[in-house]
Amino acid sequence: MKLTILGCHSATPTASTRPTSQVLEIRGNLFLIDCGEGTQMAMRTSRVKFSRIKNIFISHLHGDHFFGLIGMISTFCLLGRDTPLTIYGPKGIREIILLQLKLTKSYTTFDLRFRESESKDSQLIYEDDKVTVTTIPLDHRVYTNGYLFEEKPLDRKLDVVACEEYGVDQAYYRKVKQGHDIELASGEVISNDLLTFNPVAAKSYAFCSDTMYKPDIVPIIKNATVLYHESTFLKSHEDLCERTKHSTAAQAADIAKQANVGTLILGHYSTRYGDYELFRKEAQEIFPTVELAADGKVFEF
Amino acid sequence: MKLTILGCHSATPTASTRPTSQVLEIRGNLFLIDCGEGTQMAMRTSRVKFSRIKNIFISHLHGDHFFGLIGMISTFCLLGRDTPLTIYGPKGIREIILLQLKLTKSYTTFDLRFRESESKDSQLIYEDDKVTVTTIPLDHRVYTNGYLFEEKPLDRKLDVVACEEYGVDQAYYRKVKQGHDIELASGEVISNDLLTFNPVAAKSYAFCSDTMYKPDIVPIIKNATVLYHESTFLKSHEDLCERTKHSTAAQAADIAKQANVGTLILGHYSTRYGDYELFRKEAQEIFPTVELAADGKVFEF
């Protein structure tokens, strides 16, 4: 998995900070997560190929998470795109986009689909042969979902030497990789663990923004390889979390610890702070493996 | 007048080029003209104070001219603005903005007004004590207006020495500056031109984008101090003008010449060209005083 942070700041964009948007690459597939104003420019800066984006996931209808979407779709039209595009997001996203396409007399050259969510329960909303995406219901001022991207379990690795020694016919190699035991022509059954090595563990990425502290999500994101959790504030401004429905770095770390994730990435910083290292420091008092999102930064895991 | 070019490129924004937006300052009043994606970031870069923008003029409903508007209004809300804001633009702009404010549950902290145009005739749409704004009906793929900003005529300059010599009472100075002749106590009438100097000429700025070659606009923009006229293409791509309803640099210069303007500013370049000096060169074969718009460039006139 490769995660490119296109923007990771809250509220209003500035001359030097971009609102939320990320590109997640899983086994060659690109998923765009949120799309604040200026995302298409950030994608060009980060050299993300527009045509590879086939699915866009919008967490909620606050401007800093989707105002760049209509511009991106419009650019896709101008570029004569023909690949279908699916937008996942809260109910309302379809109306906003279609009204603007209609009033700007823009006609999509490609199939544009919408999958709107209204449910307050976690739901499987996307599945292909390599990846599933599940919503993570969050608690914000408007209806908001995070998204859990999970690789499907990978095949076991073939121990070719062992297979040859046991005399397993190559015709069975696919079944072996899928984890099956094998019955030889002699009738002897060879246990799969003698013929294979453990596969690389399937990875997962949980995107949780925007939300106030919500331990309900822990079972959904349990053992995720990487968790991106918003940390708009530091503990010193915890009093603002209730009204604005945001989290502190300490609260994000607490969720990471309860969920036993591999790495916590912090972001969605309020622009009131100058030194983002304070977020890392605060979180690391609770959870050790903390990374800071930054516009343009790439994480590989 | 001071004109700040926030963005001057056509169609899709890139990592280094911005779509159309300009700030025009006339005697202390700031007018925002068009508002492509990323305009609020460009305003911060150019240090334009958000609170001084009270009137925004949108030429037409193509994304590269208004997709930044909802983000800007949203930022005004977040900043707790209380100054009224009026948006001038084609019918439809109100619906687009209000739907997005409704679905994002954003409530303006200020009075937000819309003045939508549908007329195909030139109309006076704005007037205060210093400035008038008149629409310039253009010819594009969708309903489009340019805008003519005109300073109101300034008072004549008082020739204090002459006034004293003729014995004009100071109580009449205001009338003298307004151009009236004065009758002295003796009954003698003193002609105004003996008591005043000509005022500084009132200036005007005509913004014409996007449009194909349309000589009909010449009477409206006649003798403008400065004309910004789109030049999406060079003559070598003139065949694209009919279909896309854009102009070449030569056509812009032809309009400038017919209208006898002071200076022509070119912009809205297609991103297919690397060297914008070619636009100046082409235009100067027809009209001598040509400037090239560039993102962030400031013109004072």
Side-chain angles (χ1 to χ4, degrees):
Chain A
M1 286 192 183
K2 178 179 165 188
L3 178 71
T4 304
I5 307 289
L6 299 173
C8 65
H9 294 81
S10 72
T12 65
T14 69
S16 59
T17 64
R18 292 190 185 275
T20 302
S21 186
Q22 309 184 349
V23 177
L24 179 68
E25 182 172 348
I26 309 178
R27 296 202 221 161
N29 277 0
L30 258 59
F31 300 95
L32 184 67
I33 308 167
D34 280 347
C35 190
E37 184 173 356
T39 293
Q40 60 175 318
M41 291 88 130
M43 277 175 62
R44 289 197 191 261
T45 303
S46 289
R47 299 184 180 281
V48 177
K49 273 196 102 175
F50 287 8
S51 59
R52 290 185 63 197
I53 301 288
K54 290 168 191 148
N55 297 282
I56 302 180
F57 296 82
I58 301 295
S59 62
H60 66 298
L61 296 184
H62 276 163
D64 55 331
H65 293 255
F66 84 97
F67 279 165
L69 182 57
I70 181 63
M72 179 154 320
I73 292 172
S74 189
T75 290
F76 288 165
C77 294
L78 286 168
L79 296 177
R81 175 192 177 106
D82 53 15
T83 320
L85 178 71
T86 307
I87 314 288
Y88 301 81
K91 190 165 170 58
I93 189 78
R94 183 174 179 277
E95 187 182 359
I96 287 177
I97 297 301
L98 291 189
L99 174 70
Q100 291 185 89
L101 290 175
K102 190 184 89 178
L103 287 174
T104 60
K105 298 208 168 111
S106 299
Y107 304 98
T108 54
T109 50
F110 54 93
D111 188 6
L112 178 62
R113 302 162 191 166
F114 293 88
R115 299 281 179 272
E116 295 189 325
S117 295
E118 290 183 275
S119 174
K120 289 182 176 173
D121 299 321
S122 176
Q123 294 188 312
L124 176 73
I125 56 166
Y126 175 89
E127 181 165 17
D128 64 25
D129 57 337
K130 298 170 188 164
V131 180
T132 61
V133 184
T134 311
T135 57
I136 309 168
L138 299 177
D139 186 1
H140 194 42
R141 303 195 302 279
V142 294
Y143 176 78
T144 305
N145 282 316
Y147 295 105
L148 176 67
F149 297 82
E150 293 178 284
E151 279 188 316
K152 288 189 172 174
L154 293 153
D155 281 350
R156 297 186 62 78
K157 282 192 181 171
L158 206 65
D159 182 345
V160 180
V161 176
C163 287
E164 286 175 357
E165 278 178 4
Y166 283 106
V168 176
D169 192 291
Q170 288 190 16
Y172 291 104
Y173 278 10
R174 193 171 166 75
K175 283 192 83 171
V176 174
K177 286 198 278 185
Q178 288 168 350
H180 299 280
D181 296 339
I182 295 296
E183 187 178 344
L184 300 179
S186 63
E188 184 188 2
V189 175
I190 312 293
S191 171
N192 187 274
D193 60 342
L194 298 172
L195 302 173
T196 59
F197 304 112
N198 286 335
V200 175
K203 291 179 181 128
S204 58
Y205 173 65
F207 170 86
C208 295
S209 184
D210 298 358
T211 189
M212 65 183 298
Y213 178 69
K214 194 184 185 215
D216 295 6
I217 65 175
V218 168
I220 305 170
I221 64 173
K222 196 84 188 174
N223 301 322
T225 315
V226 177
L227 164 66
Y228 174 92
H229 194 291
E230 74 126 290
S231 56
T232 306
F233 300 115
L234 293 172
K235 246 191 311 196
S236 52
H237 288 106
E238 193 172 340
D239 57 311
L240 296 176
C241 290
E242 178 64 35
R243 183 168 59 80
T244 62
K245 302 250 181 190
H246 284 299
S247 305
T248 64
Q251 289 170 336
D254 188 61
I255 296 289
K257 186 180 177 185
Q258 289 183 55
N260 188 40
V261 304
T263 299
L264 168 65
I265 301 177
L266 296 176
H268 202 266
Y269 320 110
S270 162
T271 48
R272 80 191 60 210
Y273 304 107
D275 179 8
Y276 299 135
E277 282 297 332
L278 296 172
F279 286 82
R280 192 203 300 266
K281 203 175 154 197
E282 180 173 301
Q284 279 183 331
E285 285 174 17
I286 296 163
F287 183 81
T289 321
V290 179
E291 295 284 349
L292 296 180
D295 296 359
K297 195 166 176 178
V298 176
F299 296 94
E300 303 213 38
F301 43 88
Chain B
M1 285 191 183
K2 178 179 166 188
L3 178 70
T4 304
I5 307 290
L6 299 173
C8 65
H9 295 81
S10 71
T12 66
T14 68
S16 60
T17 65
R18 292 190 185 276
T20 303
S21 185
Q22 309 185 346
V23 177
L24 179 68
E25 181 172 349
I26 309 178
R27 297 202 220 161
N29 276 0
L30 259 59
F31 300 94
L32 184 67
I33 308 167
D34 280 347
C35 191
E37 183 174 356
T39 292
Q40 60 175 320
M41 290 89 131
M43 277 176 61
R44 290 197 191 260
T45 303
S46 289
R47 300 186 179 278
V48 177
K49 273 195 102 173
F50 286 8
S51 58
R52 290 186 63 197
I53 302 288
K54 289 168 192 150
N55 297 282
I56 302 180
F57 296 83
I58 301 295
S59 63
H60 65 297
L61 297 184
H62 276 163
D64 55 332
H65 293 255
F66 86 97
F67 279 165
L69 183 57
I70 181 62
M72 180 154 318
I73 292 171
S74 189
T75 291
F76 288 166
C77 296
L78 286 169
L79 296 177
R81 175 191 177 107
D82 52 16
T83 320
L85 178 71
T86 307
I87 314 288
Y88 301 81
K91 190 166 171 56
I93 188 79
R94 183 174 179 276
E95 188 182 358
I96 287 176
I97 297 300
L98 292 190
L99 173 70
Q100 290 185 89
L101 289 175
K102 189 184 88 178
L103 287 174
T104 60
K105 297 208 170 115
S106 299
Y107 303 98
T108 54
T109 51
F110 55 93
D111 188 7
L112 178 62
R113 301 162 190 166
F114 293 88
R115 299 280 178 275
E116 296 188 325
S117 296
E118 290 183 275
S119 173
K120 289 184 175 172
D121 299 322
S122 176
Q123 294 188 311
L124 176 73
I125 55 165
Y126 175 88
E127 181 166 17
D128 64 26
D129 57 339
K130 299 170 187 164
V131 181
T132 61
V133 184
T134 311
T135 57
I136 308 168
L138 299 176
D139 187 0
H140 193 44
R141 302 194 303 279
V142 294
Y143 176 78
T144 304
N145 280 316
Y147 294 105
L148 176 66
F149 297 81
E150 292 178 285
E151 280 189 314
K152 287 190 172 173
L154 292 154
D155 282 349
R156 296 185 63 77
K157 282 192 181 170
L158 206 63
D159 182 344
V160 180
V161 175
C163 287
E164 285 175 356
E165 277 178 5
Y166 282 106
V168 176
D169 193 291
Q170 288 191 15
Y172 291 105
Y173 278 11
R174 191 170 167 76
K175 285 193 79 170
V176 174
K177 286 198 278 185
Q178 288 170 347
H180 297 280
D181 297 339
I182 296 296
E183 188 178 343
L184 302 179
S186 64
E188 185 188 1
V189 174
I190 311 295
S191 170
N192 186 275
D193 60 342
L194 298 173
L195 302 173
T196 59
F197 304 113
N198 286 334
V200 175
K203 291 179 180 128
S204 57
Y205 173 66
F207 170 86
C208 295
S209 184
D210 298 359
T211 188
M212 66 184 295
Y213 178 69
K214 193 184 186 216
D216 296 5
I217 66 174
V218 168
I220 305 170
I221 64 173
K222 196 84 189 174
N223 300 322
T225 314
V226 176
L227 165 65
Y228 173 93
H229 195 290
E230 74 127 289
S231 56
T232 307
F233 300 115
L234 292 172
K235 246 190 313 196
S236 51
H237 289 106
E238 192 171 340
D239 56 311
L240 296 176
C241 289
E242 178 64 35
R243 184 168 58 81
T244 63
K245 302 251 181 189
H246 284 299
S247 304
T248 64
Q251 290 170 335
D254 189 61
I255 296 289
K257 186 181 178 185
Q258 289 183 55
N260 188 40
V261 305
T263 299
L264 168 65
I265 301 177
L266 297 176
H268 202 264
Y269 320 110
S270 161
T271 46
R272 80 189 60 210
Y273 303 108
D275 179 9
Y276 299 135
E277 282 297 331
L278 297 172
F279 287 82
R280 192 203 301 267
K281 203 174 155 198
E282 179 173 301
Q284 279 182 331
E285 285 174 16
I286 296 163
F287 183 81
T289 322
V290 179
E291 296 282 352
L292 296 180
D295 297 358
K297 195 167 176 178
V298 177
F299 297 94
E300 303 215 36
F301 44 87

